Amino acid sequence: MSQLPLVRPATATDAPACAEIYAPYVTDTCISFEAEPPVPLSSARESPTHKESHEWLVAERDAAIVGYAYAHGFHIRAAYRWSCETSIYLAMDRRSEGIGRALYEVLLARLTERGYRRAFACIALPNHASIGLHRAFGFEDAGSFRRVGWKYGAWHDVAWLQRTCNLMKSTHRHPSWLRCLSNQRIGA
């Protein structure tokens, strides 16, 4: 069995490696519905503000980035602020080595510590490896959208899975990153 990777918070200098990992998912598969690979630092997940509110992690093995995972807001409406959506991408030649499991162990623990109640995953189908990883971490089926994404000349389904992260007794306590913002801004 391979040595587990070092999982650490991502920095802006990791963005090019993450973009390189993500590109084949865009160009060669239907796992991502994007048409063109984004340039590094083009999305909210790489911004310092995003890391303060959610999480962006990388897995490193032999001084190389071999995968990354992140979470972002589930929906822009204020009532959804206790929920987040997760994503994970591994270097194509590094799958089935325990890297995804190592990333998700840290990611989900940090989201729970921050006070998120639910984590969601949107998975283009078929994707047995991603479904298996998410189920191994307690994600359950939440629903699916049929023929919702058009790529490579065909319609594709997506599955939504969800996981309970935090069963706080208080249903109104904000996730930890929100507590430092003004009540006026978040509409508490």
Side-chain angles (χ1 to χ4, degrees):
M1 182 171 148
S2 299
Q3 178 183 339
L4 289 178
L6 168 70
V7 175
R8 63 171 175 77
T11 67
T13 59
D14 298 318
C18 291
E20 186 176 326
I21 288 169
Y22 184 59
Y25 288 95
V26 175
T27 59
D28 304 336
T29 77
C30 294
I31 290 172
S32 168
F33 285 172
E34 292 195 64
E36 298 291 329
V39 296
L41 294 174
S42 66
S43 68
R45 69 179 173 263
E46 287 101 0
S47 74
T49 303
H50 172 81
K51 289 191 305 182
E52 291 171 12
S53 63
H54 292 84
E55 202 65 54
W56 178 34
L57 304 171
V58 293
E60 194 177 301
R61 186 178 282 160
D62 301 323
I65 304 299
V66 293
Y68 68 97
Y70 65 93
H72 60 86
F74 177 67
H75 197 282
I76 61 171
R77 303 281 191 265
Y80 292 105
R81 63 185 168 262
W82 290 269
S83 298
C84 59
E85 184 178 342
T86 62
S87 291
I88 184 167
Y89 293 95
L90 308 176
M92 290 289 190
D93 62 343
R94 303 308 291 263
R95 295 181 290 182
S96 300
E97 295 182 11
I99 296 166
R101 184 172 283 282
L103 280 163
Y104 255 28
E105 283 176 3
V106 177
L107 178 68
L108 295 170
R110 290 192 178 173
L111 294 173
T112 299
E113 289 168 8
R114 289 176 184 246
Y116 287 97
R117 295 179 58 82
R118 299 280 185 273
F120 292 88
C122 180
I123 302 170
L125 300 176
N127 190 336
H128 302 294
S130 187
I131 295 287
L133 175 69
H134 285 85
R135 287 199 174 130
F137 278 94
F139 282 79
E140 300 175 330
D141 294 341
S144 61
F145 296 129
R146 305 286 181 218
R147 296 173 300 282
V148 69
W150 177 262
K151 191 169 181 182
Y152 297 133
W155 288 105
H156 301 279
D157 300 347
V158 296
W160 279 95
L161 283 73
Q162 72 178 47
R163 177 186 191 271
T164 298
C165 293
N166 193 332
L167 291 176
M168 300 177 299
K169 290 184 180 180
S170 170
T171 59
H172 65 281
R173 189 169 180 216
H174 301 298
S176 62
W177 66 274
L178 280 174
R179 287 187 219 122
C180 66
L181 300 177
S182 73
N183 286 340
Q184 179 182 24
R185 181 171 173 206
I186 60 175

